[in-house]
Amino acid sequence: MTSAGRFAPSPSGELHVGNLRTAILAWLFARSTGRQFLLRVEDLDRARAGAEAAQLRDLTAVGLEWDGEPIRQTDRSPVYDSALGRLTAAGLTYECFCTRREIQEAPSAPHAPQGAYPGTCRNLSPAEREIRRASRPAATRLRADVEHRTVQDLLHGSYTGVVDDFVLRRNDGVTAYNLAVVVDDADQGIDQVVRGDDLLPSTPRQAYLASLLGHPVPEYAHVPLVVNHDGARLAKRDGAVTLADLAAVGQPAEEVRDTILESLRLPPGPLVNALASFDPLALPREPWVWPPLAPGRRNSG
Ligand code: GLU
């Protein structure tokens, strides 16, 4: 089995500098440890026509190269079905008929962690399930037998988070992100997951699910996000944030790449130059604020 890292964008629109910075970091982590670097298009949800091709173009424009062809989640339903089938055969799933509202309004069990599914459908009798099936398609949830799990993260250390009866398949039939990501990482031989630290809270669930499916738990590095000057996570509405926007205001892709590298305290130029100086433990741990306050500072001193 290969040893690999990856970048797994959702093709919901153009990549912004925050996504590109995470992609560059994932590449640096993988390449500096002799791993392959793979791409996965997470298009189960939120896919927009043309976005995938544009994202791959932008990754290439900042100098990223990946191994093999990207895989696409919408091509992989049989693999997800088979993983779900194994969990179900082991008695580890159940049907859930709750609406979002019912979940919000349900009294949570004493001591249940905040945000955890309250367990409403966990112990429905066959007759109750039959009645509910007539009114609403079921989602499939995991029957978790732990409430927390601890994972190790290269940047965050030991992190303990909630594991609840999370959704594996939504009631519209779409495989849930937490199942797809675990199955895909295992199938692609990915043993290093580098991604934005907004996903750290999902990681204990994913590590737990990987163990249930008999997969090794990858090494994790959750990297700081890029934020705007109000401290909010960067978004399209924050002005010039994509390569196309930035090119239009006179910043070509190489310059954006160099600005990103500078924010990581790495030397500018082709990404291979940064590899030699890359030290995960020396990375800034705070969110990076975009746009940087003194653009062009590199050239003015
Ligand atoms: N597709 C997710 C996103 O774009 C990333 C998932 C992951 O890296 O595990 O936010």
Side-chain angles (χ1 to χ4, degrees), residues 227-255:
V227 298
N228 65 20
H229 281 269
D230 297 326
R233 178 183 172 153
L234 199 68
K236 274 289 280 176
R237 62 177 172 280
D238 291 315
V241 295
T242 66
L243 287 187
D245 302 335
L246 289 160
V249 296
Q251 284 191 53
E254 295 74 28
E255 204 174 298

Side-chain angles (χ1 to χ4, degrees), residues 44 73 77 79-96 117 138-144 163-183 205-210 212-213:
L44 287 177
Q73 289 186 323
S77 310
V79 191
Y80 307 138
D81 290 348
S82 138
L84 193 60
R86 282 207 286 136
L87 293 167
T88 299
L92 292 173
T93 67
Y94 63 89
E95 289 170 84
C96 172
Y117 175 66
T140 307
R141 285 187 183 272
L142 180 70
R143 191 179 286 282
V163 177
D164 64 347
D165 287 354
F166 57 90
V167 172
L168 301 170
R169 174 171 290 158
R170 304 185 333 203
N171 78 349
D172 60 3
V174 175
T175 303
Y177 158 71
N178 280 319
L179 175 62
V181 78
V182 166
V183 168
R205 290 185 175 91
Q206 293 169 13
Y208 176 65
L209 183 57
L212 289 180
L213 286 166

Side-chain angles (χ1 to χ4, degrees), residues 17 62 240-260 288 290-292 294-296 298-299:
V17 285
V62 293
V241 295
T242 66
L243 287 187
D245 302 335
L246 289 160
V249 296
Q251 284 191 53
E254 295 74 28
E255 204 174 298
V256 179
R257 174 204 62 203
D258 286 351
T259 310
I260 290 173
W288 182 42
W290 180 272
R298 277 188 318 280
N299 302 326

Side-chain angles (χ1 to χ4, degrees), residues 6 8-10 42 177 181 195 199:
R6 46 68 155 191
S10 303
E42 300 210 319
Y177 158 71
V181 78
R195 58 187 178 189
L199 289 168

Side-chain angles (χ1 to χ4, degrees), residues 6-12 19 22 40-42 46 73 177 181 185 193-196 198-199 206 222 233:
R6 46 68 155 191
F7 183 61
S10 303
S12 54
N19 308 127
T22 301
R40 181 167 73 233
V41 180
E42 300 210 319
R46 300 185 291 152
Q73 289 186 323
Y177 158 71
V181 78
D185 283 342
V193 169
V194 177
R195 58 187 178 189
D198 54 327
L199 289 168
Q206 293 169 13
H222 286 86
R233 178 183 172 153

